Amino acid sequence: MKDKGLFLIIAALAVVLAVVGSVILFVSNKKAEGYVETEARVIGYVEKSEYDDDGHYYVYAEKVEYTVDGIQYFAVSDVYTTRPKSIGAKMKISYDPQQPFKYAFVENKYFIPVILYIISGVLVLCGIGIFVYRCVINN
């Protein structure tokens, strides 16, 4: 019976992660509702230093420029990575047509939800594996 409890805990955690991912995606879509999609060009990076067990390393967020009605705007991605897009690369961005300085990176809005969905899927598979092994095979 203890094994079924472990399965339920893993399943509940998987459901919570999937729900959190869905809420994040819903909020991102709601925020960008009415925004217009355009192409931006990477012009530089914002650098941030991080530490882990292997030591010190740097992560980067792309700084981009985009033009609306002949006026140039700048934006910085909210996702930091060790492998940013190269200078001059194109990225999709959406902006508020009433206030073009308000923006959202189209590519980034799926990043966290997808990670949470993947973790949720792995947990479901682990939970099913534990359940099958302990309740069916080990019976």
Side-chain angles (χ1 to χ4, degrees), residues 1-12 130-131 134-135:
M1 198 53 135
K2 189 189 298 184
D3 298 330
K4 290 179 184 175
L6 179 61
F7 169 74
L8 291 175
I9 290 170
I10 291 173
I130 290 169
F131 181 77
R134 296 207 174 153
C135 295

Side-chain angles (χ1 to χ4, degrees), residues 13-56:
L13 183 58
V15 168
V16 167
L17 289 175
V19 167
V20 168
S22 297
V23 167
I24 290 171
L25 188 57
F26 175 78
V27 169
S28 294
N29 285 337
K30 197 71 173 163
K31 176 186 172 193
E33 198 172 90
Y35 278 28
V36 176
E37 195 171 296
T38 191
E39 200 170 73
R41 186 176 65 86
V42 177
I43 59 168
Y45 310 106
V46 174
E47 182 179 80
K48 187 165 84 170
S49 86
E50 298 280 334
Y51 295 91
D52 65 8
D53 294 338
D54 296 330
H56 182 255

Side-chain angles (χ1 to χ4, degrees), residues 70-83:
I71 300 171
Q72 196 169 36
Y73 295 91
F74 300 93
V76 177
S77 173
D78 52 356
V79 174
Y80 283 82
T81 178
T82 56
R83 302 176 82 179

Side-chain angles (χ1 to χ4, degrees), residues 92-133:
K92 290 193 184 284
I93 195 168
S94 41
Y95 64 89
D96 182 341
Q98 304 302 317
Q99 300 173 313
F101 58 88
K102 291 186 176 181
Y103 61 88
F105 280 80
V106 174
E107 297 172 22
N108 294 350
K109 77 176 184 179
Y110 299 107
F111 182 74
I112 292 174
V114 166
I115 297 296
L116 291 175
Y117 293 151
I118 290 170
I119 293 170
S120 179
V122 168
L123 285 173
V124 166
L125 292 175
C126 288
I128 290 170
I130 290 169
F131 181 77
V132 168
Y133 177 75

